Amino acid sequence: MTPWRLTGWVSVAMLAFAGNSLLCRMALKHTSIDPTSFTLGRLVSGAIMLLVVVRLKRGVVTPANNGNWWSAAALFAYAAGFSFAYVSMTAATGALLLFGAVQATMIGFGLIQGERLRLSQVAGFALALVGLVVLMLPGLATPSMLGSMSMLGAGVAWGAYSLRGKLLQSRGASNPTLMTAGNFARTVPMALVLSLLLWPHLAWDSAGLAYAVVSGALASGLGYAIWYQALPALKATQAATVQLSVPVIAALGGVVFLGERLTLPMLLASAAILGGITLVILEKK
C-alpha cells in the first residue's frame, strides 16, 4: 500500500469514528429517537453493511461461522452505553471519555499481564487520569454522572472487544472484517431484547432513524472495514497514536454542526488526557 493511499484510508477511518459521536449526538439532540432505538438501528444497519462488504470481498456470506458471542456482548455493551451516554453530553466530551476509557482498559490489561511502565509512562498515565477527573467536574462540560459512567462503561467494553479481537487473531482466527461481521450479526438479537425490555420508552422518527442507519452502515460498518484494510500497514504505536485525532475531530465537528462551545478548562483537560496517553503509547515497546 502506497503512503498516500494509506494516509487516505486512515483519514477516512478516523472521520468515520468521530462521525459516530456526531451522528449519535445529532440524533438524540435534534430528533425524537431514543437511545435504544438508535442502538438497534445502528447495529442492524452495521451488520447489513458488513455482510455486503464480506460478500463483495469473498463471494460468500458466512457470518455465523465467524466472531463469537462474548465479543458480540462486548460490542453490544459498547454500542448501548455509547447511545445512552450521549443523551446528556457533548460530542467532544463523550469522545474524550470513551477514548480515555478504551486506552486505560488496554493499558491496564497490559499491566495485569506483566508489562511494566517507565517513569515517563507512569507520569503520562497519571496526567491522563487527572484530565479525566477534571473533565467530569461540575460546570466544565456538565456531563451527568450517569451519562459519564455509561460512556466510561462503553469505553471499557470497546477496550475488551479490541483485546478479544487481538487474542483471537493470535490464535489463528479469521480475518478481522469477517470476524466483525459475525460479531455485528450476533448483536442484533441482543438489541432486540433490549428494545422489548424498554418497549414503553421507545420513540423514533424518520430523521433519527436516518442518523442511526448512517452511523451503523457508513461510520461503523464501512468505517471498521476501511480501518482493518489500513491496520496491517501500521505499526502498533502508529495505530494507537493516530486515534488521538478522533476526539479532536469530534470536538471540531461539534462546534461546526452542533453549535457546541469549547471552553479553556475543557481544552486544558483534553490536552492533559491526549498528552498523557501519548506519553504512554509512544514509550511502549
Side-chain angles (χ1 to χ4, degrees):
M1 186 179 297
T2 65
W4 284 107
R5 185 179 181 186
L6 177 62
T7 301
W9 282 130
V10 170
S11 299
V12 171
M14 295 306 102
L15 288 171
F17 293 165
N20 274 319
S21 292
L22 295 173
L23 289 165
C24 185
R25 181 60 179 155
M26 284 180 184
L28 297 174
K29 182 179 181 181
H30 296 302
T31 77
S32 62
I33 196 169
D34 67 284
T36 304
S37 299
F38 184 90
T39 301
L40 177 62
R42 180 186 178 189
L43 292 175
V44 170
S45 56
I48 294 173
M49 174 58 76
L50 282 165
L51 288 179
V52 172
V53 171
V54 168
R55 185 174 182 84
L56 291 175
K57 291 181 65 175
R58 299 174 64 90
V60 293
V61 180
T62 57
N65 300 324
N66 295 276
N68 64 82
W69 286 104
W70 284 111
S71 293
L75 178 60
F76 169 73
Y78 148 73
F82 181 90
S83 299
F84 280 93
Y86 266 126
V87 172
S88 60
M89 65 180 61
T90 65
T93 303
L96 281 167
L97 289 175
L98 177 72
F99 181 83
V102 170
Q103 293 298 321
T105 300
M106 300 186 74
I107 293 169
F109 180 79
L111 293 176
I112 293 174
Q113 294 296 105
E115 292 185 16
R116 292 294 176 263
L117 299 181
R118 299 178 182 177
L119 183 60
S120 59
Q121 291 176 297
V122 173
F125 194 65
L127 181 62
L129 289 178
V130 169
L132 282 174
V133 171
V134 172
L135 186 68
M136 295 171 63
L137 290 177
L140 184 59
T142 62
S144 69
M145 184 55 65
L146 184 60
S148 297
M149 292 299 103
S150 181
M151 187 60 84
L152 291 174
V156 171
W158 183 254
Y161 178 77
S162 300
L163 289 168
R164 282 192 58 80
K166 291 178 64 176
L167 176 64
L168 292 173
Q169 281 184 276
S170 69
R171 294 178 177 176
S174 59
N175 72 71
T177 303
L178 193 58
M179 192 161 54
T180 304
N183 290 330
F184 259 84
R186 285 172 167 80
T187 64
V188 174
M190 300 178 191
L192 288 172
V193 170
L194 180 64
S195 298
L196 290 175
L197 292 174
L198 297 178
W199 184 266
H201 305 286
L202 299 187
W204 61 277
D205 54 23
S206 56
L209 186 59
Y211 282 127
V213 170
V214 172
S215 175
L218 300 183
S220 296
L222 200 56
Y224 296 163
I226 291 172
W227 175 239
Y228 289 135
Q229 185 75 20
L231 202 54
L234 296 173
K235 295 179 181 178
T237 51
Q238 291 175 324
T241 305
V242 75
Q243 292 180 73
L244 290 167
S245 64
V246 174
V248 178
I249 297 170
L252 294 175
V255 172
V256 174
F257 298 108
L258 294 167
E260 297 174 353
R261 294 175 60 249
L262 290 179
T263 63
L264 180 58
M266 183 177 177
L267 288 174
L268 292 175
S270 303
I273 295 170
L274 300 181
I277 293 174
T278 301
L279 283 175
V280 177
I281 292 172
L282 294 183
E283 286 292 330
K284 288 186 69 175
K285 292 293 184 181

